[in-house]
Amino acid sequence: MKKAHYLIILALFTAISGGYSQNKKAKGSSNTKPNIIFILADDLGIGDVSCYGSDNNKTPIIDNLAKSGMQFNKAYTAPLCGPSRSRILTGRYAFRTGAVNQDRVAEIKPENEVLIPTVLKSAGYTSAMVGKWSQFGLTPKDFGFDDYLTFQGSGVFWSKEKKKAATYTENGETKELKENVYMPDLMHDHLVKFLDDNKKKPFFLYYSLVHVHALIQRTPDSKPGSDLYADNTAYMDKLVGKLLATLDDLKLRENTLIVFMGDNGTASIYAERGTIGGKALSGKKGSMLECGSLVPTIANWPGVVPAGKINNDLIDSSDLLPTFADLAGAKLPTKNILDGRSFLPQLQGKKGNPKEYIYMELGNKWYVRSAKWKLNRQGELFDMSNAPFEEKLVVDYANNAEASAAYTRLQTVLKEIAPEKGIQDDGDGSGRHASNVNKKKGSKEDKE
């Protein structure tokens, strides 16, 4: 073969190989900048999602997201929305940030805490926050987001439902929520514009959904006499589908990691309908029982996250910041202790370095949990073998070798974490807003 011919063939092979390499990079190589979308559903527990076995709720689009991606069966977050959002965005436990109750979340300042958008900005990411921001003070821009749309309070759907629903804020401008405009649809329109404007550069989208927080109102799809909670769940599912369709239209789906998560367990009376296999779940929103913190969590990224994979590793919402930073190639903040651990290897189908325990807290209560055991602040040990349906108090663990070893191990973990040395709750211990605690009891719906 003549040298000229050889060089031509070599050049062609290199070009083909380079194209193959680029395609592989577009599907998750560490040399690329994949997009990250984090969807946070409001008050959505595992009993609300059909792929987790819900008897009474149907979520076909979210189910398909799990079927074509990875479903986490042991994913936890703080059992109330403000402390949960703080833990998600900072990657830190509440006794470090002060977010031990709803009111204290508003005291978090940008000069003290570094949030996900600031971390990712160092790796060239632009970011948007769309939806619920009410527990945090200041604005999303103050904490590093480049673009945002927020509204006042929780459960804001229609302008006429309550006074604070009359307006919303879009990139610093207060606007009127017009009559017959549905806030979740307005949020969707905003994020579509953000995605379209930023489709040629890496982005992080924090999509903080309205559903299914009370007030449980009619949706644009509701019919007279319909089950409004089912309608709200279905509309949330529909919005996830509309987002996926937008990503397909913009040809962004192949290079985008989507993580879907609930911000805490199901709220109030709606937890009663959230049965699985005919069984009631242990705990709900605001509770330190299992399903106050155990939430639906799904990851999807075509060609990168293994399809149809069920993951039983213990993870918690503090792990999101280091996972996203790991994926983006961003440097972790060093000014504060980070409590999260990256689970990016698991998302890539590898074993990774799973946690041996997770730590949860709210108000003046906390616990540490391993795969089988749970130890709370009072020193009570629970056998969690039948969770999420039952938490069995172990009365005489000293005479049970396995239980005794678990108690010693988890007690050591709590001593190492030392939450009692951090910022303590200054409320009534429940973690709720003081204004809500002082309201008349007997309300059927959880307030924000």
Side-chain angles (χ1 to χ4, degrees):
M1 181 183 294
K2 293 184 178 180
K3 184 176 181 181
H5 291 165
Y6 172 78
L7 292 174
I8 291 171
I9 292 172
L10 180 62
L12 288 172
F13 177 77
T14 301
I16 294 171
S17 299
Y20 173 76
S21 175
Q22 284 299 110
N23 286 336
K24 294 294 285 183
K25 287 180 181 180
K27 291 192 174 186
S29 165
S30 60
N31 295 322
T32 65
K33 296 292 184 182
N35 307 309
I36 302 169
I37 296 179
F38 177 60
I39 307 172
L40 188 64
D42 203 343
D43 289 358
L44 190 81
I46 61 169
D48 293 315
V49 183
S50 44
C51 64
Y52 281 84
S54 173
D55 294 323
N56 299 307
N57 296 292
K58 302 301 178 187
T59 50
I61 293 168
I62 294 170
D63 295 351
N64 191 60
L65 202 66
K67 185 178 179 180
S68 58
M70 182 177 293
Q71 176 177 319
F72 289 85
N73 282 349
K74 290 186 177 179
Y76 298 80
T77 189
L80 211 55
C81 49
S84 175
R85 283 161 165 74
S86 170
R87 188 183 185 111
I88 288 166
L89 290 169
T90 66
R92 287 163 40 82
Y93 296 152
F95 70 86
R96 303 193 200 281
T97 64
V100 292
N101 60 46
Q102 296 278 60
D103 293 329
R104 303 254 346 214
V105 176
E107 297 177 18
I108 293 176
K109 303 298 183 213
E111 55 266 29
N112 298 326
E113 297 294 338
V114 181
L115 273 56
I116 291 174
T118 299
V119 173
L120 298 184
K121 192 181 294 290
S122 68
Y125 279 68
T126 188
S127 60
M129 188 279 152
V130 179
K132 179 175 177 177
W133 179 258
S134 55
Q135 276 73 33
F136 274 86
L138 303 176
T139 72
K141 186 173 183 179
D142 293 308
F143 285 92
F145 286 99
D146 301 297
D147 174 273
Y148 71 92
L149 182 150
T150 63
F151 50 85
Q152 300 181 72
S154 297
V156 170
F157 298 98
W158 305 99
S159 62
K160 298 293 186 181
E161 68 187 33
K162 47 188 174 181
K163 185 176 181 181
K164 62 184 177 182
T167 61
Y168 65 96
T169 303
E170 190 170 28
N171 291 322
E173 183 180 353
T174 300
K175 297 184 177 181
E176 177 188 359
L177 179 60
K178 296 179 181 178
E179 191 171 359
N180 297 322
V181 173
Y182 192 51
M183 174 57 73
D185 288 343
L186 188 67
M187 289 164 51
H188 176 78
D189 292 345
H190 183 98
L191 71 84
V192 169
K193 185 178 186 307
F194 169 79
L195 294 175
D196 191 37
D197 289 346
N198 294 280
K199 60 190 174 187
K200 294 184 179 180
K201 49 189 172 184
F203 61 77
F204 168 62
L205 169 62
Y206 172 32
Y207 186 17
S208 186
L209 290 166
V210 183
H211 302 96
V212 285
H213 195 289
L215 302 166
I216 302 300
Q217 300 284 297
R218 67 177 176 86
T219 76
D221 294 343
S222 294
K223 308 298 181 186
S226 64
D227 180 343
L228 292 183
Y229 195 80
D231 288 354
N232 276 255
T233 306
Y235 208 91
M236 175 205 63
D237 194 59
K238 175 181 176 178
L239 286 170
V240 174
K242 289 179 69 175
L243 170 59
L244 296 176
T246 298
L247 293 174
D248 287 337
D249 290 344
L250 296 175
K251 296 180 172 51
L252 295 171
R253 187 70 186 90
E254 294 297 313
N255 196 38
T256 301
L257 168 68
I258 297 173
V259 176
F260 176 94
M261 192 177 206
D263 74 334
N264 47 243
T266 306
S268 187
I269 59 173
Y270 305 108
E272 297 172 7
R273 65 181 285 153
T275 59
I276 293 178
K279 297 179 182 179
L281 299 175
S282 175
K284 60 183 179 179
K285 175 182 178 178
S287 165
M288 294 301 283
L289 296 173
E290 179 78 345
C291 289
S293 290
L294 179 66
V295 290
T297 302
I298 295 162
N300 189 291
W301 184 3
V304 179
V305 175
K309 176 73 173 178
I310 299 294
N311 189 295
N312 290 309
D313 291 347
L314 289 167
I315 68 167
D316 74 75
S317 57
S318 69
D319 299 329
L320 292 167
L321 184 151
T323 299
F324 294 161
D326 196 3
L327 178 62
K331 293 181 180 179
L332 291 174
T334 57
K335 64 182 291 186
N336 294 321
I337 294 173
L338 282 179
D339 296 298
R341 178 184 300 177
S342 172
F343 56 90
L344 179 60
Q346 288 96 312
L347 294 179
Q348 297 169 330
K350 304 171 186 176
K351 182 179 179 181
N353 183 26
K355 287 182 169 179
E356 295 181 4
Y357 64 85
I358 54 100
Y359 167 79
M360 286 294 129
E361 66 183 311
L362 179 66
N364 61 7
K365 300 175 286 292
W366 55 70
Y367 67 79
V368 63
R369 189 204 196 289
S370 65
K372 184 179 177 181
W373 305 94
K374 171 178 167 181
L375 182 69
N376 65 19
R377 181 181 184 180
Q378 291 73 37
E380 296 173 317
L381 182 70
F382 295 86
D383 182 344
M384 304 298 287
S385 300
N386 198 31
F389 308 107
E390 179 186 22
E391 305 180 37
K392 186 177 179 181
L393 178 63
V394 182
V395 178
D396 190 15
Y397 61 83
N399 291 320
N400 179 320
E402 184 184 4
S404 181
Y407 180 91
T408 301
R409 183 169 63 253
L410 294 180
Q411 188 180 51
T412 300
V413 171
L414 271 181
K415 286 182 178 179
E416 291 174 351
I417 296 174
E420 70 281 355
K421 296 180 180 179
I423 300 170
Q424 299 298 296
D425 177 67
D426 56 356
D428 73 333
S430 70
R432 302 272 181 177
H433 284 297
S435 58
N436 287 338
V437 171
N438 293 332
K439 285 178 181 176
K440 269 202 297 188
K441 297 191 179 185
S443 171
K444 291 186 176 180
E445 294 182 335
D446 286 334
K447 304 295 186 289
E448 61 179 298

